Amino acid sequence: MILTTDDGHVRTITLNRPEAMNAFDGQQFDDLTEALLAAQAEAAVRVVIITGTGRAFTTGLDLSEVGKDIEPPKHGVPGLFNTLIDFPKPLLLAINGFGVGFGATIIGLADMSFMAQSARLRCPFTSLGVVGEAASTYLFPRMMGHQAANWMLYSSAWFDANECKESGLVLDVFPDDALLDEVMTRAQTMAANSPVALIRSKELSMGPVREKIRATMDAENAVYDELHGGPENMEAINAFLEKREPDFSKLG
């Protein structure tokens, strides 16, 4: 489910469930967490890129697992989120296609993000009867500004690549066939610099906000737990499984 390749001091981690639009099941949460921990531990790796295969970057949580009796993952969502928060090296995203849910909110936990021209992002939480995740309710307004972030988080609307760049959610947009080369060029530029200075620079940037990020995640998780399994959330999940639009008109 995860592919890793090295090019000098740059490691590329590729989400590789194209048949499932790279959606995260328990195994993929664990695999990506382990891949990040391995990259963190290896001195030769100075910069990391995360990308995906196929049409999607990732469509977030694999809803097909909802309600099934599945063995709990080793790391799961909390383990991956904490690993991303604490990751000490520059982390770049090469968003190759659709990004939904965590496929969008992971941007707040990365250092720089780049999109293919055809890629689109969506935070569908309100359409699922829940709220944002990964501290997006704190990080997105800091990145995008108050109103653009609120539109993205409240509306569950799609944002195309140009809208994401204009709002400050991603740094740049490239033609689809040039995305990985362009991101690799930037990663190599960083990796050519002092590895200690890279790590210390990131610590100065992330250190002061890690506590706030974790506090926001705790608050988001508390509201999510309150809403998860409720009538609006179940209507949204059933609508997804039945391939129809949810109808909240008789709820609430």
Side-chain angles (χ1 to χ4, degrees), residues 22-247:
N22 296 324
F24 273 80
D25 59 4
Q27 186 64 53
Q28 183 145 288
F29 277 114
D30 282 354
D31 288 349
L32 181 54
T33 302
E34 293 289 346
L36 288 167
L37 291 172
Q40 176 177 323
E42 293 184 33
V45 177
R46 299 180 184 176
V47 179
V48 172
I49 299 169
I50 298 177
T51 191
T53 56
R55 296 174 52 226
F57 174 53
T58 172
T59 52
L61 182 66
D62 189 344
L63 292 178
S64 68
E65 286 197 342
V66 174
K68 293 183 179 178
D69 184 16
I70 296 171
E71 182 178 351
K74 176 182 176 182
H75 299 287
V77 177
L80 177 57
F81 283 8
N82 281 311
T83 298
L84 287 165
I85 293 169
D86 292 330
F87 193 70
K89 301 174 181 181
L91 179 64
L92 282 60
L93 304 182
I95 300 170
N96 56 292
F98 299 112
V100 179
F102 182 58
T105 59
I106 188 177
I107 291 172
L109 302 177
D111 294 289
M112 283 164 250
S113 298
F114 305 88
M115 288 178 73
Q117 184 66 60
S118 68
R120 296 191 298 160
L121 299 178
R122 184 184 183 217
C123 293
F125 306 109
T126 56
S127 72
L128 295 172
V130 292
V131 295
E133 63 180 9
S136 56
T137 56
Y138 167 65
L139 293 168
F140 277 23
R142 294 177 79 235
M143 300 172 70
M144 304 171 70
H146 179 74
Q147 296 186 80
N150 286 345
W151 173 249
M152 189 170 203
L153 293 170
Y154 297 176
S155 70
S156 293
W158 285 100
F159 272 51
D160 66 29
N162 290 333
E163 289 172 318
C164 290
K165 180 181 178 180
E166 290 168 2
S167 69
L169 189 61
V170 301
L171 181 57
D172 214 340
V173 174
F174 301 113
D176 291 17
D177 59 1
L179 175 69
L180 286 178
D181 288 342
E182 292 284 358
V183 177
M184 179 60 72
T185 296
R186 286 153 180 76
Q188 294 290 358
T189 298
M190 285 184 280
N193 295 318
S194 160
V196 173
L198 287 173
I199 289 173
R200 297 299 292 273
S201 294
K202 179 161 182 176
E203 179 59 32
L204 288 168
S205 175
M206 281 293 292
V209 298
R210 283 195 176 107
E211 182 177 346
K212 178 61 177 177
I213 290 172
R214 285 198 165 93
T216 303
M217 282 190 184
D218 288 343
E220 290 171 345
N221 291 341
V223 178
Y224 180 92
D225 289 344
E226 176 188 343
L227 298 178
H228 182 253
E232 294 179 0
N233 176 236
M234 292 310 300
E235 164 60 16
I237 290 173
N238 289 333
F240 172 83
L241 296 175
E242 296 166 10
K243 298 182 179 180
R244 61 175 174 82
E245 291 296 318
D247 179 6

